[in-house]
Amino acid sequence: MSDLWSYFKNLFKSAEKSSPTNPFIHELIERNDAEIADYNKWKEGLDKRRIIDWVNNEYVVFMTQPDDVDTDLDFLNTPMSKGFVLHFRKERHAERDFIHLFDYLKEKVLSLGYRSYMSDTRTYNRGQKVETVQRHYLKPAFSKKGDQKLDQRFGNITVELLQVNNIVINLKFSATGYVDHNFSAVEDYKKLMASVMN
């Protein structure tokens, strides 16, 4: 019992010291059997298809008529960083869709020969709110032959799920290339979208 009391005492002390750069809880992401079973069921269902189709349709709109993109979705498009942010609205999707899409994007990126560098959760005290950021950080499995440049594929890929007071706020997917003469040029982002959003 004293160990449990010590745990909670330390947790509250950590929460008081939390800052924008210092989470009071930092853990690796681990899914339990029930979460894994629900995820596998989701992958085969219509909810997955709906959210994937929505993002794909809006990406086509972004490429042709960027001013007409759905307000619940933003696209990032700079020379070295590309991606999207899905803003959660309960009238449109269940929180479960965003949580499972978060893991699905990681799974799809791993199938492209990437390696998981880190999958973690960071929880911050924001005054009257508690902010939790789940993150998958993936890196290309660099390969080099002789004097060839390192193949960076699409660069580093980050998938983040933001929750405030345990309510999903948004999901962010971004690919950021290396700007270095040792690396190959990044591959076309359209190819990444076609590979992960299917």
Side-chain angles (χ1 to χ4, degrees):
M1 186 68 167
S2 62
D3 288 340
L4 186 61
W5 175 247
S6 295
Y7 169 79
F8 283 113
K9 224 163 72 171
N10 290 333
L11 187 63
F12 288 120
K13 282 182 188 174
S14 298
E16 289 171 5
K17 294 176 186 173
S18 175
S19 71
T21 57
N22 183 33
F24 73 89
I25 299 175
H26 183 202
E27 304 171 315
L28 295 179
I29 294 174
E30 293 181 21
R31 302 293 186 220
N32 63 38
D33 291 343
E35 289 168 330
I36 293 168
D38 190 51
Y39 169 68
N40 287 326
K41 183 178 175 185
W42 176 86
K43 283 197 300 182
E44 303 302 320
L46 284 177
D47 291 335
K48 174 210 155 198
R49 189 72 265 148
R50 277 192 210 101
I51 198 165
I52 294 286
D53 288 348
W54 172 56
V55 175
N56 283 328
N57 292 339
E58 291 305 314
Y59 185 58
V60 170
V61 172
F62 172 72
M63 298 303 289
T64 56
Q65 298 169 295
D67 292 339
D68 294 336
V69 171
D70 191 316
T71 56
D72 288 340
L73 200 152
D74 291 308
F75 288 96
L76 169 68
N77 187 21
T78 69
M80 291 311 291
S81 291
K82 307 213 181 305
F84 58 83
V85 179
L86 309 181
H87 303 283
F88 178 73
R89 194 157 51 91
K90 64 183 177 182
E91 296 82 10
R92 172 173 257 160
H93 299 286
E95 289 191 356
R96 166 185 186 253
D97 294 329
F98 273 52
I99 293 165
H100 290 326
L101 181 61
F102 169 73
D103 287 337
Y104 181 74
L105 290 169
K106 175 188 176 183
E107 181 180 312
K108 297 299 283 185
V109 171
L110 288 174
S111 75
L112 300 175
Y114 271 68
R115 61 188 174 87
S116 179
Y117 183 76
M118 171 92 57
S119 285
D120 66 353
T121 300
R122 294 167 192 247
T123 303
Y124 302 87
N125 181 358
R126 304 285 193 219
Q128 299 299 313
K129 298 177 181 176
V130 174
E131 180 181 290
T132 302
V133 180
Q134 293 186 51
R135 181 183 64 152
H136 295 310
Y137 185 48
L138 303 113
K139 291 185 169 234
F142 295 117
S143 58
K144 183 176 179 179
K145 295 177 183 174
D147 292 336
Q148 289 181 342
K149 294 186 175 187
L150 291 166
D151 182 7
Q152 69 169 305
R153 302 272 348 243
F154 307 100
N156 292 335
I157 296 176
T158 305
V159 190
E160 291 183 343
L161 182 71
L162 171 64
Q163 294 170 291
V164 174
N165 294 340
N166 288 323
I167 297 169
V168 170
I169 302 299
N170 64 43
L171 182 150
K172 179 180 175 186
F173 177 86
S174 62
T176 305
Y178 294 92
V179 185
D180 187 311
H181 70 280
N182 292 313
F183 297 95
S184 65
V186 291
E187 293 182 36
D188 190 342
Y189 179 72
K190 291 178 197 168
K191 184 178 171 185
L192 176 60
M193 284 293 285
S195 298
V196 300
M197 298 306 290
N198 64 35

